[in-house]
Each structure stands twice: as structure tokens, then as C-alpha cells.
Amino acid sequence: MSSLQPVRGTHDLLPEESRRHRWVEEAAFAAARRYGFGEVMTPIFEFTEVFARTLGETSDVVTKEMYTFADRSGESITLRPEGTAGVARAFISGGLAQSLPLKLFYRGPMFRHERPQKGRLRQFHQVGVELLGVESPLADIEVIALAWRVLSELGLAGKVRLEINTLGDAESREAYRNTLTAYLSQFRLSLSEDSRNRLERNPLRILDSKDEGDKRIVEGAPVMTDSLTPAAREFFQTVTNGLGMLGIPFIINPRLVRGLDYYCHTAFEFTTTSLGAQGTVLAGGRYDELIATMGGPRTPGIGWAAGVERLSMLVDEPPAAVRPVAVIPMGDELAAMHVAERLRRAGQTVEMGFSGNMKKRMARANKANARFAVILGEEEAQRRAVTIRDLDGGSQEEVPLASLEEHLGRLL
RNA sequence: GCGGGUGUAGCUCAGUUGGUUAGAGCGCCAGUUUGUGGUACUGGAUGUCGUCGGUUCGAUUCCGAUCACUCGCCCCA
């Protein structure tokens, strides 16, 4: 092995893989556009405070996963671990409260200093959307419908499951937290060590525990639904009714909680069983207080993010790449370059090697999956003609050089 | 951050119970075919056996450390 290793948890995406990656990204963006979303591009780093304040001081992302460093002027900078905080910051600093509601799509790299695993990298990529300024549960329905559309178009409808829950409004959440804590405290000593810690920091996460003992205790725990205020209950009811009406299959998972502190009301996750320990492929929720918490005008929001690498692993082959035309010079390479250039100007995808005899060039044309070879032979040149060879069928014909673009245009 | 597994050719992997020139398939290069690829046949090149250290007459093989990958925990996309 060379000593020139990529940084742990980072990856080079060579053309074959990046094509798959882009395909996932583009499918998401294309669907988002149909729902009226426009792309926002925020910096991949922000002042550390942007993330520290919004994600919750006790969240794992903030306490142990951020790529934080001091820049040359001593400012504490953090590589973004997720997209929502940056978009919220852009909303505030750009004074976008004037243009609500706002529908934003984003994509790009995110960074978390974790131990790499299947479907988990230190630099990974997300696509995501945020819908800002809409209090109504219609926003939740539309945003989830978009998620479902994206997954369906990637051919994943049969591979994922939508789980949904409500975290209620602040009042409901507070009430539930109290009843849950009271219940769990009875079993304090039987809980796993992790969960005993969670009891103080974030008892809701115990609902999610993978520890078998915890699971048994959680089975008897009070559910969020019973602590919901009538308003919160109705909100959730509308969301689930809406999904039903749009024919989007889901299951209600009362134990679904989200890791980041800013969520309220609707929380959802599309999960799969085919990615090992990383089941979540797309997840999101509502965050009505986030922007106010950051110091902006109170603006409700809802959004989701999906891991591009995780989606890529689930997706079948992306549509085939465009098949090129191979230009094969037999003598005058500059003249051949000129022909290649003509074809490219006419919109063709053209391969032309930089060296080698005819045999070698033909072999390369084949490897490049070329559909046709344009052979510029000396005999033909005297007749001001070229040979077009069909590399699939094996037949070939001679055509006048002057009408080459036309001929190829007709063949392709 | 914690625990398990694995590092041999460009890739996938075999192998050496410690001994001189370390193997296969795929891929690559060349030829059969000096104006024709994809198939077939023939031949060829390629390894600090992850790195550093220890034990030994001798280490790719045993031991330790380290790095990387991988699976899981925590957490998450």
C-alpha cells in the first residue's frame, strides 16, 4: 500500500461511481423542482456557533463529531455536519423572511468525525429540502410526498419503509418527557448503562435503545400520543390522513425520535434493512422554533435530508452513459482531430485516442463502448470520404466527408 | 470514543506447518492478423506479502506495536 492514503473516512469517486452518485442527486433535484423547490448553495463551513447552538449542546454531533478548527484569524470554524443549520443561517442573514414561503433544495458534502462503517463516512453527501414559513400540516404532507417521489423514482419504493411519529408541540413534549421520565425512573437500575445516562440528558432516546433489556422496559412505557395536546393531536392526524390520501404507505412508530434537538411535531424516517447497522436512508421533521432560537424571526420549517452514498448502495444501475463515436485516424492525426472537433460541435460525444495503430484504436473504441467508429483511411481520403463502421453489427459503409455529421445524426 | 475480523500483483483471492526463484483467475501488454474491435489461441510484465520493531542462523509466515480497511456498539444520512 502506498503511504499516500486518503484521509480516513473519505473517498475518491471515480467516473463510474460518480455517475451513480450524480444520478441519485439529479433524480432528487429533478423531483424537487417539480414540487417548486429551488437550489440553495450555502458554504460548507460556518462559524462553529451556528451548529453548536442549533443542534443541541448535548447531541452527539456537537459533542464528539464536529470537524472544528481555528482559521488564521482565530475564528472557530466547523465543517458542516448537516444542512439545515446553514440554510437557517442563510435565511436569517439574507433577510429572506420577506419571501415566504420558501422552498429550498440543497446537496453537497457533510462532515462528521465518526468511526467509518458501512454507509457511514467522515465526508459524505446529502441531498435535502427545507420548506420554510408554513405552519400548516399541508407542508409536512408535501415534503414527505416529495421524499416518497424521490425514492420511488430511484426504484426504492419496495426497499424502504416510512416510519412516522409526532413529537408534539413544546407543551406536549414537556408533558411527555415528565411522564416518561417518571416511568423509566422506576426501572433505573435495570436499564443499560447507556440508557441510565440518557435518562437525564435525553430520555426520549431510550425509546430507541437496541439493548434487549431496555426494549422490554420500553414496551410498557407510556406513549407520546397520550400526552399530546388536542392541537398537536389534530396536526398529526391531518398529516397521516394526507399521506393516506396520497397513497403513501407508512407506519406509525411511537418510539421514533430524532437525534437533533430542534425537531417538533412530525418526525419521519425512511429505513431499509439492506444496509447493515445504518438503516436510515432519508429522515427529517418539523422544526418550528429553530430559526427563532438562532435569533431570527420565528419561522416554522420542515425538511429532510438523505444520504447519497446510502441511496447509491441501494439503487440498481443508473441509466447507461451516452455511447461515443470513435474517430480512428490512419495517417493524418491532425486532420482526424479536426473531424472529431466537427462532430463535437455538432453535438456528438466523440472519443479519439492519442496514439496507437488501427487495431489498438479499434480495441480502445470497443472498450469505450463506442457505437460507431469513423475510420479516416488514406484510400477514402482520396475520394474525400470516410468509413463509418457499426461496432454492434459489424457492417460498414463509406460516406462523403462533407456529409458525415448528417449521416451520423441519422444513424444515432 | 469502545469491541471483533482482515491486510499477499491494478482487482478478487490462494499459499508458505519459519528455508533459497511467492501463485491462480480477471485485467494489462504483445503476437496469431502491418486497413478493422468485441470471441479464440499463444506468449509476456507486475509484488519492499500494509508499516515499524522483536524472537530466530534465517520471518511474507511466530510475537508486539502502529496504520488502513471492514463489521458491530454509541449515534446518525
Side-chain angles (χ1 to χ4, degrees), chain A residues 133-150:
Chain A
V134 181
E135 204 90 45
S136 158
L138 283 175
D140 306 51
I141 298 168
E142 185 171 81
V143 156
I144 295 173
L146 167 56
W148 177 245
R149 198 85 293 286
V150 170

Side-chain angles (χ1 to χ4, degrees), chain A residues 112-310:
Chain A
R112 291 184 198 173
H113 191 104
E114 308 182 84
R115 187 97 179 246
Q117 227 175 291
K118 183 175 189 174
R120 164 188 290 175
L121 300 163
R122 288 188 173 180
Q123 175 176 336
F124 60 104
H125 298 79
Q126 291 187 332
V127 291
V129 300
E130 314 291 355
L131 202 177
L132 300 175
V134 181
E135 204 90 45
S136 158
L138 283 175
D140 306 51
I141 298 168
E142 185 171 81
V143 156
I144 295 173
L146 167 56
W148 177 245
R149 198 85 293 286
V150 170
L151 295 170
S152 299
E153 277 168 28
L154 290 171
L156 301 180
K159 290 187 186 168
V160 298
R161 188 166 83 165
L162 169 57
E163 298 180 33
I164 185 169
N165 190 25
T166 176
L167 305 172
D169 46 30
E171 195 185 326
S172 316
R173 203 172 173 178
E174 182 61 27
Y176 180 57
R177 195 186 165 105
N178 291 339
T179 36
L180 182 66
T181 308
Y183 168 83
L184 290 172
S185 298
Q186 304 172 279
F187 302 97
R188 166 173 264 286
L189 296 176
S190 332
L191 285 170
S192 66
E193 196 187 325
D194 282 329
S195 286
R196 277 202 295 276
N197 289 329
R198 288 188 274 227
L199 198 49
E200 275 119 62
R201 291 175 175 262
N202 193 344
L204 293 200
R205 279 193 215 152
I206 298 175
L207 297 175
D208 232 5
S209 178
K210 286 176 189 170
D211 181 88
E212 286 305 321
D214 291 352
K215 281 184 182 172
R216 276 195 294 277
I217 293 170
V218 164
E219 272 177 36
V223 287
M224 180 79 217
T225 327
D226 297 329
S227 300
L228 291 178
T229 60
R233 188 185 304 271
E234 195 193 323
F235 189 98
F236 189 52
Q237 191 60 248
T238 307
V239 174
T240 51
N241 283 351
L243 294 178
M245 207 167 292
L246 297 186
I248 298 167
F250 64 93
I251 65 166
I252 294 174
N253 176 359
R255 298 198 303 267
L256 174 69
V257 292
R258 311 261 43 246
L260 308 178
D261 279 5
Y262 53 62
Y263 287 109
C264 63
H265 283 293
T266 316
F268 60 94
E269 258 177 38
F270 285 85
T271 60
T272 176
T273 51
S274 12
L275 283 183
Q278 275 62 245
T280 306
V281 129
L282 182 157
R286 184 168 266 276
Y287 48 87
D288 291 346
E289 306 304 327
L290 172 65
I291 289 172
T293 305
M294 291 177 78
R298 184 183 178 281
T299 309
I302 178 161
W304 52 254
V308 176
E309 284 83 357
R310 289 186 185 177

